[in-house]
């Protein structure tokens, strides 16, 4: 099913070098995990996990100390990651459902590799449709104005 998610997040400056989970409804204990996660990896990059797939690394570092708009758009077997209103990376042949059996949790600590999230979250938006790049750029421009980052 088509799905888009956007989150405005700012990591504390002392969060460098730590992995952090922003959102998750992924059920790790299931035989065939379903759900999704949005996270910042230890290398500082924004990433998304969908179902049993390995993390989809955007290749874009999320610098601490300022708000970033982070997003994922999933349609069919394709997932596209966005950072600050720009397409970061597209992935194909992505299996699994974003509809997990768990309630969506925010800033959750899981496993020993993921630290407690440190920072601020300004907003989280879920859409049961595909957002196009122009729509995501619109959310980014509006958010930057609201946060005084024109």
């Amino acid at each position: 099913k088509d799905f888009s998610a956007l989150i405005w997040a700012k990591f504390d400056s002392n969060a460098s070098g730590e992995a952090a989970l922003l959102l998750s409804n992924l059920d790790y204990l299931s035989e065939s995990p379903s759900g999704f996660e949005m996270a910042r990896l230890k290398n500082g990059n924004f990433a998304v996990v969908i179902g049993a797939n390995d993390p989809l690394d955007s290749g874009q570092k999320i610098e601490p100390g300022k708000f970033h708009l982070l997003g994922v758009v999933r349609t069919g077997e394709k997932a596209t990651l966005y950072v600050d209103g720009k397409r970061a990376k597209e992935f194909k042949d992505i299996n699994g459902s974003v509809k997990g059996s768990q309630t969506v949790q925010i800033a959750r600590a899981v496993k020993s590799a993921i630290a407690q999230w440190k920072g601020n979250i300004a907003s989280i938006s879920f859409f049961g449709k595909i957002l196009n790049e122009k729509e995501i750029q619109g959310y980014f421009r509006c958010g930057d104005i609201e946060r005084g980052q024109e």
Side-chain angles (χ1 to χ4, degrees), residues 11 18-26 28 37-40 102-118 121:
F11 294 88
E18 293 180 5
L21 192 58
L22 294 168
L23 294 172
S24 178
N25 74 338
L26 195 62
Y28 281 107
E37 290 183 342
M38 297 173 79
R40 180 177 179 266
Q102 303 294 316
T103 302
V104 173
Q105 297 182 32
I106 301 167
R108 178 176 84 161
V110 277
K111 297 188 177 182
S112 59
I114 304 291
Q116 182 79 24
W117 189 79
K118 298 172 187 167
I121 294 175

Side-chain angles (χ1 to χ4, degrees), residues 15 39 57 59-60 66 78-79 86 96 99 101 110 123 125 134 138 150:
D57 186 337
Q60 299 283 317
K66 73 176 236 178
K78 184 172 78 169
K86 296 177 184 158
K99 184 178 179 184
S101 60
V110 277
S123 69
S125 301
K134 198 172 200 176
E150 287 185 83

Side-chain angles (χ1 to χ4, degrees), residues 5 10 27-28 49 53 68 71 73 111 115 120:
K10 176 173 77 170
D27 181 6
Y28 281 107
V49 175
N53 294 285
H68 297 277
V73 176
K111 297 188 177 182
N120 300 86

